[in-house]
Amino acid sequence: RAAGRANVLEALANAARSRKKQPSGDLLPAVQSLIEAHEADVRAAGLRLAGAWQLKPLRAQAVACARDLTAALNVRLAAIAALPGVGGAEAVGELPSLTRAAHPRPLQLAAVASLAQLALERAAQQASALAPAMNSREDMAALLAPFLQRQGGADALARALSTMSLPPDAAKLLSRALSSAGRSDAALLTVVNRALGLAPETAAYSRELVEQFAAEVQSRGDATRGREVYRSELANCAACHKIAGEGGVIGPDLSAVGRSLPLDLIIEAVLWPKRQIKEGFLLTQVTTSDGDEFQGYKLKETPQELTLRDLATGREVRLAKPRIQELTDSGTAMPDGLTAAMTRDELL
């Protein structure tokens, strides 16, 4: 029963976030009672509603829940996510303390995400302090995501990271997180390449170069070693592509690529991914009137609403048309320069 209530409440919160729709009347007493409920899932859903409906009188309760060391993790996470809505600018002072090492990693990441909605530059400073401690691509992706979802966020994070010496391992994780999100933001890539000592430039396209690579592949290419490179964290291909049912879904399924594409087109797709984009994989970038930014694949469009699969989060996002300020096609999710760190043999 509690799970069913939580699902209904979550649907109401999603309607407020995506379509700016909420019930009429005095919502405060009902939401306050939800936050005070016994079940953690219901409390968390109530906090998310408080944030989505911007019920500012509940700010003190949200702050108390975020700080409560005895509360369930999902309740604390929901409270942190609610703070931009219930606290506005006043919440800026509450969030940085929640990014400290004493708190669990999910809370730190949630605090950065909420702070990014209120004070982008300050959030970027907190994120740059946390970046060296990230020890998985998933954590780095979660740290990165809120900046990819805010207008100017990627540049703000790059500025903060450029003031420090980013450890090579953190730079590698950041590179993989960008790749798996289908992003190639120039300023962040500059930070990554500087930390790794890489020259990101890809050779200009030429037919002669393609023919040269093709000849080398045919004379000394090795499919077994190629499989190892494909699966390695160096290439990170499996984060986006699926082969034989294993891998990601951001890019096309490559199970039959060797039978469906000639060698020269495969070479072009690896080295110059923006030259040809497979049907169904053209990215759409949306900037909203309140400064949110989404990049993903268009799933559905009606006169009232646009639905995207957002690459940064993997979630389906429904956006009311009046909320959309700018909509553009932004090419392919596969960034240029992914082979820059490979040796010639690895590339072949």
Side-chain angles (χ1 to χ4, degrees), residues 106-186:
L107 290 180
Q108 296 174 327
L109 296 171
V112 169
S114 285
L115 189 58
Q117 296 179 48
L118 300 168
L120 198 55
E121 297 291 341
R122 190 164 181 184
Q125 292 296 328
Q126 299 296 135
S128 67
L130 287 176
M134 298 297 106
N135 53 19
S136 72
R137 179 177 61 82
E138 291 74 19
D139 282 349
M140 187 64 83
L143 185 68
L144 176 65
F147 298 96
L148 301 184
Q149 294 165 2
R150 295 295 295 171
Q151 191 172 17
D155 287 343
L157 181 58
R159 284 193 294 273
L161 290 171
S162 66
T163 64
M164 61 180 291
S165 179
L166 188 66
D169 281 355
K172 292 173 185 175
L173 293 176
L174 179 56
S175 175
R176 293 169 197 163
L178 279 168
S179 174
S180 61
R183 296 292 291 258
S184 53
D185 300 84

Side-chain angles (χ1 to χ4, degrees), residues 233-275:
E233 292 187 339
L234 168 68
N236 205 31
C237 304
C240 296
H241 294 284
K242 192 183 295 290
I243 288 183
E246 296 183 2
V249 296
I250 289 176
D253 189 319
L254 300 181
S255 300
V257 70
R259 295 189 298 274
S260 60
L261 280 183
L263 178 56
D264 58 344
L265 290 186
I266 295 175
I267 292 169
E268 287 188 20
V270 171
L271 292 178
W272 302 281
K274 292 179 172 57
R275 278 183 58 80

